[in-house]
Amino acid sequence: MARVSRQSSQQFPRQRAHPVDEVLPVGKLALYGFQHVLAFYAAAVIVPILLGNSLGLSHDELVYLINADLLTCGVASIIQALGVWKIGAKLPLVQGVTFTAVSPMIAIGLGAGGGTAGLLVVYGAVITAGIATFLFAPFFSKLVKYFPPLVIGTILTIIGLTLIPQGLQDAAGGAQLIGKPEYGDPKNLLYALGTLLFILLMVRVGKPYLSSLAVLLGLVAGTAVAWLLGDVQFGAVGEADWFGVSTPFHYGLPKFELFPIVAMVVVMLITMVETTGDVYAIGEITDKKVDNDTVARALRADGAATVLGGVFNSFPYVAFAENIGLVRMSKVMSRFVVVGAGVFMIILGLLPKAGSLVAVIPHPVLGGAAISMFGMVAAVGIQILGKVDLREERNALILAVSLAASMLPTVVGPFFDRMPDDVRAVLDSGITLGGLTAIVLNLFFNVFTRRKSMEIDWDDIEDDESAEPADPYFGGAATR
């Protein structure tokens, strides 16, 4: 019997796990996971900072929001990457607070009087929208045929292009310095440029292992140089508490009001499109098949995380496009790396002092790293758009008008100032406005038409990809 078993094992060798499902050694899991945390940290804490400052929260309340956000991010990322029941895409997707919700939440909170009273109305809307997302996920996933590569690629390109200015703003010193002489100081720009050049150098001349850690090494090197020059202070680390736990409904029971709920449900519909694009993007990068069930599982994770956020004093969650860029740059595709990152986030959420240590990374250093990652998100979108026949006038118009619409809130700030608050809260976001434009125009031009030539089927594209040679640069099918 033993001889037969050996022969069988030789004839039928165990199939190697897909890189997404590969479990790396603990040391690598920790190192790569921590790199995800560093790449994600600044974007993760910016939402509670913006909302807390807008609602007039105290310093202690603001710190509490940040800790609650990090804790929930960790739990949500583990659920998304590991998969629990029918929740979680089982892909290397990091969960973070969506930027799309910032303006609507500020409008809701200020409309309710600001402060913690405003937060209670926000949390009521967040919890309800999260439940709606969870329940609607399987139905939304069946609508994927209405989100062809043209729409997904356009939205991802918009996400990258609209996030790049944030990286550039950090490179200049951060939003908190706008209007001050320090903003745009040559020293800040040199920190950002030095960090970016260091990352590029690691990718260019470093061995594969060092190349995969380029962003982490760039952040460490940039911070070390800033510390040597006296621009990094660790005083806040010493003053921070060692341990702090976020408790459910810390500010009181949430309040459920109709208009805030409607506004937040609209926001979550946009984030569902964003997550759908992110799932296809990560599938493109990792060469992992994505189907309707995968999308539904990812959206359920968004909904569950958003409900969890509302209960534990945090906000709506979405698959983070920033870390998709990191996956592509590092070529580390294991979803268990994201599980490791989730563990680090939970630790940071429970240890304010550890979170403060990460927070000392200077804004210009973060900006230099962010520029490369946000640009990679846009590059993934452009790669997907390579599957689209842009010689077709309608397709080209959808892309052109959507890109133009996404620039409105960024380039022409006061464009929506005279509109009603409920309209402004939804549209005063480049990602939201550009994404909605792409969806509506695609329905108008490519769906509500009898011309079968305009139908785009993901299954046909996947069949075409399987027949194409591998692209040594992107790890998937070669683009034409």
Side-chain angles (χ1 to χ4, degrees):
M1 293 295 292
R3 182 178 304 168
V4 173
S5 299
R6 280 198 302 270
Q7 290 176 348
S8 298
S9 63
Q10 291 173 358
Q11 293 175 0
F12 305 101
R14 189 170 67 178
Q15 188 175 5
R16 183 180 178 184
H18 191 282
V20 167
D21 301 312
E22 184 180 1
V23 181
L24 302 178
V26 175
K28 289 186 176 180
L29 283 177
L31 198 58
Y32 292 137
F34 191 62
Q35 179 175 234
H36 268 291
V37 174
L38 288 179
F40 145 100
Y41 185 85
V45 301
I46 193 65
V47 173
I49 290 174
L50 290 174
L51 182 63
N53 289 334
S54 298
L55 299 185
L57 300 183
S58 67
H59 174 76
D60 291 340
E61 290 168 338
L62 187 58
V63 171
Y64 192 93
L65 282 185
I66 294 173
N67 287 339
D69 178 26
L70 290 171
L71 176 66
T72 314
C73 283
V75 176
S77 297
I78 291 174
I79 293 174
Q80 184 72 275
L82 196 60
V84 178
W85 184 58
K86 295 182 179 181
I87 307 172
K90 296 183 179 180
L91 291 169
L93 291 168
V94 173
Q95 294 292 103
V97 177
T98 173
F99 289 97
T100 308
V102 173
S103 296
M105 288 192 299
I106 291 174
I108 292 170
L110 292 177
T116 56
L119 278 179
L120 296 181
V121 179
V122 170
Y123 290 143
V126 167
I127 292 172
T128 308
I131 294 173
T133 301
F134 186 92
L135 296 177
F136 189 59
F139 304 101
F140 188 89
S141 66
K142 295 178 181 179
L143 302 177
V144 168
K145 62 182 178 181
Y146 299 121
F147 303 101
L150 174 61
V151 174
I152 300 299
T154 299
I155 291 176
L156 282 171
T157 303
I158 287 172
I159 291 172
L161 292 178
T162 53
L163 288 176
I164 286 174
Q166 180 188 335
L168 294 172
Q169 189 175 81
D170 280 334
Q176 76 282 356
L177 294 182
I178 294 178
K180 299 180 180 179
E182 295 86 355
Y183 187 73
D185 188 292
K187 182 170 61 175
N188 294 335
L189 300 178
L190 286 174
Y191 281 142
L193 180 61
T195 301
L196 178 59
L197 291 177
F198 187 89
I199 292 172
L200 296 176
L201 184 64
M202 287 294 99
V203 173
R204 175 63 180 85
V205 303
K207 295 181 179 179
Y209 181 71
L210 288 177
S211 178
S212 65
L213 293 172
V215 174
L216 173 61
L217 295 175
L219 291 171
V220 172
T223 303
V225 171
W227 175 71
L228 290 174
L229 296 178
D231 290 322
V232 173
Q233 305 297 329
F234 292 96
V237 178
E239 297 174 359
D241 294 331
W242 277 104
F243 187 76
V245 180
S246 299
T247 56
F249 307 123
H250 174 75
Y251 298 102
L253 292 178
K255 296 181 180 179
F256 300 90
E257 298 182 5
L258 180 60
F259 164 69
I261 289 174
V262 172
M264 200 56 60
V265 168
V266 172
V267 168
M268 289 307 295
L269 285 174
I270 299 301
T271 61
M272 291 171 81
V273 177
E274 184 180 342
T275 290
T276 300
D278 290 341
V279 170
Y280 277 110
I282 203 70
E284 179 89 9
I285 292 170
T286 61
D287 199 22
K288 183 80 169 178
K289 180 177 174 60
V290 170
D291 54 20
N292 289 357
D293 182 63
T294 308
V295 174
R297 293 172 64 96
L299 295 176
R300 286 195 193 98
D302 278 0
T306 299
V307 174
L308 194 66
V311 172
F312 281 91
N313 320 290
S314 193
F315 311 105
Y317 283 84
V318 68
F320 237 40
E322 289 87 334
N323 291 76
I324 293 176
L326 179 58
V327 171
R328 178 167 177 177
M329 288 185 65
S330 67
K331 298 182 177 62
V332 178
M333 303 176 186
S334 172
R335 59 190 172 98
F336 296 99
V337 169
V338 173
V339 174
V343 173
F344 277 118
M345 293 178 211
I346 292 174
I347 293 173
L348 289 174
L350 295 174
L351 301 175
K353 192 177 289 292
S356 297
L357 183 61
V358 178
V360 302
I361 299 176
H363 281 277
V365 173
L366 286 171
I371 291 169
S372 61
M373 290 186 296
F374 295 162
M376 290 297 282
V377 174
V380 173
I382 294 170
Q383 182 178 348
I384 293 176
L385 286 172
K387 303 177 183 300
V388 181
D389 183 9
L390 293 177
R391 293 172 297 181
E392 166 61 55
E393 184 179 14
R394 292 180 296 174
N395 291 340
L397 275 174
I398 292 171
L399 174 60
V401 176
S402 300
L403 289 175
S406 70
M407 295 293 104
L408 274 177
T410 302
V411 179
V412 188
F415 191 85
F416 297 103
D417 284 355
R418 297 184 181 181
M419 292 188 177
D421 290 342
D422 52 347
V423 176
R424 188 174 63 204
V426 175
L427 297 181
D428 199 12
S429 162
I431 296 173
T432 304
L433 188 58
L436 279 175
T437 302
I439 294 168
V440 172
L441 289 180
N442 180 68
L443 291 174
F444 179 72
F445 281 119
N446 292 340
V447 176
F448 300 140
T449 177
R450 295 182 180 179
R451 289 178 59 185
K452 293 185 108 181
S453 62
M454 296 304 299
E455 295 180 2
I456 304 174
D457 191 338
W458 278 97
D459 293 332
D460 291 342
I461 292 170
E462 288 166 358
D463 292 340
D464 292 341
E465 285 181 346
S466 64
E468 294 178 352
D471 186 334
Y473 294 100
F474 299 121
T479 56
R480 291 186 180 91

